[in-house]
């Protein structure tokens, strides 16, 4: 049963389902089977967020999320993590996010980090210090927590499109994991993911949108495009690969991380397999093997976050392959 306080918080914080539609956001996407599939993603996130605020305990939250079809379930956990993060930021409330991610949300850890980023977009920055729970024992933590910053960038591009996409304004940096200088790059990866949704997966429009950004931002944007196209779907891999041009290795890196996230969740849709082959030439099993082989999951001395070192190693494989062909 929903709580009264939870319902009030939901009304104050959550957009309505109609508010996340491409038409309501004013996105230039043409209605199609692809846009219908992509629009189901933010709807699943909103449902998970509302359930996360309304339910009294984790058992009920898990039961609700499990009703979502398997392909979209991770997005519902993304929204639920967002809700738990917001609740944990309130005085006297803590531990919900950690319990969720060490419990039923663990298979969806990669999307859950993004949900933390969505919460960050709605919380004052002084509260960001406490949003990342202690997940000791999970091999990808905290390396992959940069996906929270990616999620923050996606949220701002999706809901503040004129400023972040049209005017391409930089968002203020923050010392996430002690690396404020890398923060804008992780934000751009999230913006790149958002561009895939904003333009409904239409390759010429996505490519044109990326091309309007400064040249130094485009590699991270293309990485985000590759992740979104492979994970969420709607990808016409051949034209997308050609459109990326010199950034094909960045596109491929994002696709490999999408395959890793899908594999970790236990649900790999056919559209992910098809996109991955078209963007990287790899099967899901081979892509996961590559990601695991070059993984950087522990603290390393230096200015480059382990997350970026991992991305660099994946990208380097595709650059080497391209150089030999």
């Amino acid at each position: 049963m929903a709580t009264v306080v939870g319902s009030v918080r939901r009304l104050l914080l959550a957009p309505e389902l109609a508010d996340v539609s491409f038409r309501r956001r004013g996105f230039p996407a043409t209605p199609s089977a692809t846009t219908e599939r992509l629009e189901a993603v933010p709807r699943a996130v909103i449902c998970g967020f509302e359930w996360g605020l309304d339910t009294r305990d984790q058992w009920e939250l898990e039961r609700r999320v499990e009703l979502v079809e398997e392909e979209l379930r991770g997005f519902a956990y993304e929204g639920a993590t967002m809700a738990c993060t917001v609740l944990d930021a309130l005085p006297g409330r803590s531990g919900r996010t950690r319990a969720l991610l060490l419990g039923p949300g663990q298979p969806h850890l990669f999307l859950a980090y993004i949900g933390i980023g969505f919460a960050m977009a709605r919380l004052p920055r002084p509260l960001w210090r406490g949003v990342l729970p202690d997940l000791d024992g999970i091999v990808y933590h905290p390396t992959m927590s940069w996906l929270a910053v990616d999620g923050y960038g996606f949220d701002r591009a999706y809901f503040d499109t004129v400023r972040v996409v049209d005017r391409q304004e930089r968002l203020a940096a923050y010392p996430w994991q002690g690396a404020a200088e890398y923060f804008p790059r992780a934000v751009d990866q999230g913006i790149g993911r958002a561009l895939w949704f904003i333009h409904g997966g239409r390759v010429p429009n996505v490519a044109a949108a990326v091309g309007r950004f400064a040249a130094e931002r485009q590699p991270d944007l293309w990485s985000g495009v590759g992740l979104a196209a492979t994970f969420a779907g709607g990808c016409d891999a051949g034209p997308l690969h050609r459109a990326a041009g010199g950034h094909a290795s960045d596109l491929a890196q994002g696709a490999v991380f999408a395959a890793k996230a899908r594999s970790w969740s236990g649900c790999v849709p056919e559209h992910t397999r098809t996109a991955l082959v078209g963007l990287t030439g790899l099967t899901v099993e081979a892509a996961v093997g590559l990601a695991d082989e070059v993984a950087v999951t522990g603290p390393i001395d230096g200015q480059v976050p382990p997350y970026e070192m991992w991305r660099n190693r994946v990208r380097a494989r595709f650059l080497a392959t391209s150089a030999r062909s």
Side-chain angles (χ1 to χ4, degrees):
M1 180 180 295
T3 64
V4 173
V5 175
S7 296
V8 171
R9 291 188 186 120
R10 172 169 52 81
L11 290 173
L12 291 174
L13 292 170
E16 296 180 0
L17 286 181
D19 289 338
V20 298
S21 69
F22 294 171
R23 180 178 180 182
R24 182 70 65 86
R25 301 306 320 153
F27 296 160
T30 302
S32 65
T34 296
T35 58
E36 184 175 343
R37 173 189 293 172
L38 292 176
E39 282 186 298
V41 170
R43 290 199 296 266
V45 173
I46 294 301
C47 287
F49 180 68
E50 292 181 351
W51 293 335
L53 289 180
D54 280 349
T55 52
R56 295 179 182 276
D57 55 43
Q58 184 171 284
W59 182 91
E60 183 179 347
L61 175 58
E62 182 181 1
R63 300 286 89 69
R64 291 193 186 196
V65 174
E66 291 302 306
L67 294 174
V68 177
E69 64 177 280
E70 189 177 19
E71 184 179 326
L72 293 171
R73 193 172 299 154
F75 297 111
Y77 271 109
E78 185 177 297
T81 305
M82 174 186 169
C84 290
T85 303
V86 170
L87 291 175
D88 282 347
L90 298 177
R93 303 293 293 270
S94 65
R96 291 174 64 104
T97 309
R98 183 174 187 273
L100 183 68
L101 301 190
L102 290 178
Q106 186 170 158
H108 308 285
L109 177 66
F110 298 87
L111 288 183
Y113 282 132
I114 291 172
I116 292 174
F118 291 167
M120 289 162 59
R122 287 153 182 80
L123 293 171
R125 285 200 170 202
L127 296 180
W128 288 13
R129 290 191 300 271
V131 297
L132 192 64
D134 176 12
L135 301 177
D136 187 44
I138 296 182
V139 66
Y140 301 110
H141 184 80
T143 300
M144 292 298 290
S145 74
W146 280 99
L147 285 171
V149 182
D150 177 308
Y152 170 71
F154 181 102
D155 183 283
R156 293 298 77 214
Y158 201 94
F159 291 104
D160 196 3
T161 311
V162 172
R163 175 191 173 201
V164 175
V165 176
D166 297 344
R167 298 205 300 262
Q168 299 148 24
E169 293 183 17
R170 285 282 198 179
L171 301 175
Y174 179 85
W176 188 262
Q177 296 295 302
E181 69 283 353
Y182 187 71
F183 186 88
R185 292 194 56 190
V187 166
D188 277 349
Q189 291 154 35
I191 294 173
R193 282 197 308 113
L195 292 178
W196 185 252
F197 286 81
I198 289 169
H199 293 284
R202 295 193 65 191
V203 171
N205 300 44
V206 173
V210 173
R212 286 191 283 270
F213 282 79
E216 66 271 15
R217 301 181 66 178
Q218 293 181 23
D220 288 313
L221 294 168
W222 276 114
S223 173
V225 170
L227 199 156
T230 306
F231 196 101
C235 177
D236 192 351
L240 182 59
H241 187 272
R242 290 191 293 273
H247 296 299
S249 62
D250 301 292
L251 188 74
Q253 179 273 312
V256 167
F257 270 29
K260 176 63 182 178
R262 276 294 190 186
S263 176
W264 180 259
S265 76
C267 174
V268 184
E270 188 59 35
H271 69 71
T272 291
R273 296 184 182 277
T274 301
L276 187 68
V277 170
L279 298 181
T280 70
L282 300 176
T283 64
V284 169
E285 294 72 22
V288 170
L290 168 60
D292 290 344
E293 178 187 347
V294 302
V296 183
T297 56
I300 295 177
D301 293 334
Q303 297 300 310
V304 180
Y307 176 71
E308 177 56 21
M309 294 183 68
W310 193 355
R311 295 177 71 246
N312 279 338
R313 290 179 180 183
V314 172
R315 186 167 46 242
R317 290 295 182 91
F318 293 100
L319 284 172
T321 301
S322 176
R324 289 195 298 267
S325 62

